[in-house]
Amino acid sequence: MSERQEDQGAQSMRHGFTTGACATAAAKGALTMLITQQSVSEAEVWLPAGFVHTFELIEAEFTQDMAQCATIKDAGDDPDATHKAKIVATATWKEEGGIELDGGVGVGRVTKPGLPVPVGEAAINPVPRRMLTKSIESVLNEFGVSSSRGVKVVISVPDGEEIAKKTLNARLGIIGGISILGTRGIVVPFSTAAYKASVIQALQVAKASGCKQAVLTTGGSSEKYAMKMYPELSEEAFIQMGDFVGFSLQHAKRLGMNKICLVGMMGKFSKVAQGVMMVHSKSAPVDFAFLARAAGEAGAGPELQQTIAAANTASHVAELVVEAGTSEFFNILSEYACRHALEHAGGGITVETVLVTMKGDVLGKAEVSG
């Protein structure tokens, strides 16, 4: 399945709304209450995706000096860690003019360079910041509030610190809660664009942390094994690329990595050895004829090659090769993977590939420069 097909499939599913869009709605409601001293139950927000959405507001309360309300994030059909999270906005007047945005309880604070938000500030990303600022300005203008009167809006997520444990925020240097995110205001279910954006962000943090070597893994298990293999590297160097091998390689090189290590298991990495750079289970089949030829290069006899060519899965092939004692096969596969990866990245780097078992044992490895 191509990335475009995946995104088209996602379009038939129910979209949700980003934390940035929810924060903007809550902020609009809170400021409106602060100005009018009347309760509100909903807020309309213009989304960068190109349409207006009305958000339901809850827990509205206000005094002459403070107003607060919340909305519950609906992530649609996306398996989002922040689905059903309560996003709270508190608006207060301040003596100086201008608009001040900050994060409260459950919104993380940036502690490492390389992110789109400066170190020390609340993890409210640039697009949500612009959405919040424009929405606040529009409310002030709507009610004729003097430009000399300043307003402070604080975004909080009561369960944010707990939710953040399900994310990579701590790895990225975002401490104390979640990030307020979103570029279009909507959440596209299973979005490849969102995952790619997370890979780029992780690579930017690695670069800002001074990493010249990146270790790309296909998931949590392979990353755990990789961390044991490269104890000298900081945690920022380890990036879960998912199925996006080629994409991650190109951006790792673009962001200045001199060496890129690929650590993964037979199922996906046998495809990389074939030259497939998008290793989703539906993106391309395992080429068993190729694996049989590689086994022949490792010294496997005709009978074993025929058995491999008729195998069910790449893991089955690994079992057959291990039983036959033809372990050089895994080094050869790793070298093929290195060469294809190097070619895809356009050269100029060193690529190392390490094939591991489900238990983390190393099956084979290779390193190629070019």
Side-chain angles (χ1 to χ4, degrees):
M1 182 186 289
S2 71
E3 292 164 28
R4 178 174 292 180
Q5 286 172 322
E6 286 182 5
D7 281 335
Q8 286 173 342
Q11 288 170 13
S12 64
M13 303 178 77
R14 192 170 62 87
H15 288 185
F17 299 92
T18 63
T19 46
C22 293
T24 302
K28 185 174 182 179
L31 183 55
T32 300
M33 288 193 297
L34 182 62
I35 295 169
T36 65
Q37 292 292 290
Q38 295 179 356
S39 185
V40 298
S41 59
E42 60 183 32
E44 279 191 354
V45 174
W46 174 261
L47 303 174
F51 62 94
V52 171
H53 180 72
T54 301
F55 290 81
E56 179 185 355
L57 301 178
I58 60 171
E59 300 179 0
E61 58 179 283
F62 59 89
T63 67
Q64 284 191 330
D65 304 313
M66 180 279 294
Q68 179 174 288
C69 63
T71 190
I72 302 298
K73 178 180 170 178
D74 178 3
D77 291 326
D78 193 67
D80 191 313
T82 57
H83 182 52
K84 298 295 184 185
K86 184 192 295 182
I87 313 295
V88 182
T90 306
T92 54
W93 298 117
K94 63 191 189 83
E95 292 182 7
E96 316 84 44
I99 296 169
E100 181 183 346
L101 296 176
D102 203 0
V105 172
V107 172
R109 203 150 287 271
V110 176
T111 65
K112 294 179 182 178
L115 293 165
V117 176
V119 170
E121 290 193 14
I124 304 174
N125 269 24
V127 172
R129 280 179 184 270
R130 288 197 294 272
M131 290 175 67
L132 281 158
T133 301
K134 286 182 179 179
S135 184
I136 291 166
E137 287 173 345
S138 71
V139 173
L140 293 173
N141 290 335
E142 179 185 349
F143 292 101
V145 177
S146 170
S147 59
S148 64
R149 192 166 198 190
V151 65
K152 179 177 182 179
V153 172
V154 177
I155 305 300
S156 306
V157 184
D159 297 325
E161 194 162 0
E162 195 61 31
I163 295 169
K165 294 176 182 177
K166 302 173 186 176
T167 74
L168 292 175
N169 270 18
R171 173 84 55 83
L172 296 174
I174 300 167
I175 305 302
I178 67 166
S179 304
I180 304 300
L181 301 172
T183 55
R184 301 182 68 230
I186 60 171
V187 177
V188 180
F190 308 101
S191 169
T192 56
Y195 198 96
K196 285 179 175 181
S198 73
V199 170
I200 291 175
Q201 189 174 66
L203 284 166
Q204 287 170 335
V205 169
K207 178 184 179 180
S209 300
C211 299
K212 289 296 183 182
Q213 179 175 342
V215 182
L216 304 179
T217 64
T218 52
S221 295
S222 52
E223 182 181 75
K224 181 176 69 175
Y225 304 143
M227 285 180 165
K228 291 180 181 178
M229 291 176 208
Y230 305 98
E232 73 281 6
L233 298 180
S234 64
E235 67 173 2
E236 292 86 359
F238 297 87
I239 290 129
Q240 292 184 29
M241 63 180 170
D243 296 325
F244 304 106
V245 181
F247 174 87
S248 303
L249 280 164
Q250 289 177 334
H251 284 279
K253 180 190 172 185
R254 177 179 67 81
L255 288 166
M257 300 299 154
N258 298 329
K259 182 176 182 180
I260 300 169
C261 304
L262 305 174
V263 180
M265 302 171 197
M266 270 293 288
K268 294 183 184 293
F269 274 28
S270 63
K271 295 183 181 182
V272 179
Q274 295 167 210
V276 175
M277 292 291 134
M278 170 58 179
V279 294
H280 189 281
S281 59
K282 296 179 181 177
S283 63
V286 173
D287 186 341
F288 292 101
F290 162 75
L291 295 179
R293 290 195 299 274
E297 293 175 34
E303 186 176 342
L304 178 56
Q305 290 182 53
Q306 288 177 4
T307 305
I308 289 171
N312 294 321
T313 64
S315 297
H316 183 206
V317 171
E319 291 171 8
L320 293 169
V321 171
V322 169
E323 286 173 11
T326 317
S327 59
E328 183 59 22
F329 166 79
F330 299 109
N331 294 330
I332 289 171
L333 269 195
S334 298
E335 184 172 342
Y336 271 117
C338 286
R339 295 194 182 283
H340 283 300
L342 192 63
E343 181 183 1
H344 193 84
I349 54 172
T350 296
V351 178
E352 181 178 31
T353 298
V354 184
L355 267 173
V356 295
T357 67
M358 293 288 286
K359 294 181 179 179
D361 298 322
V362 174
L363 288 169
K365 63 194 302 185
E367 183 176 308
V368 177
S369 300

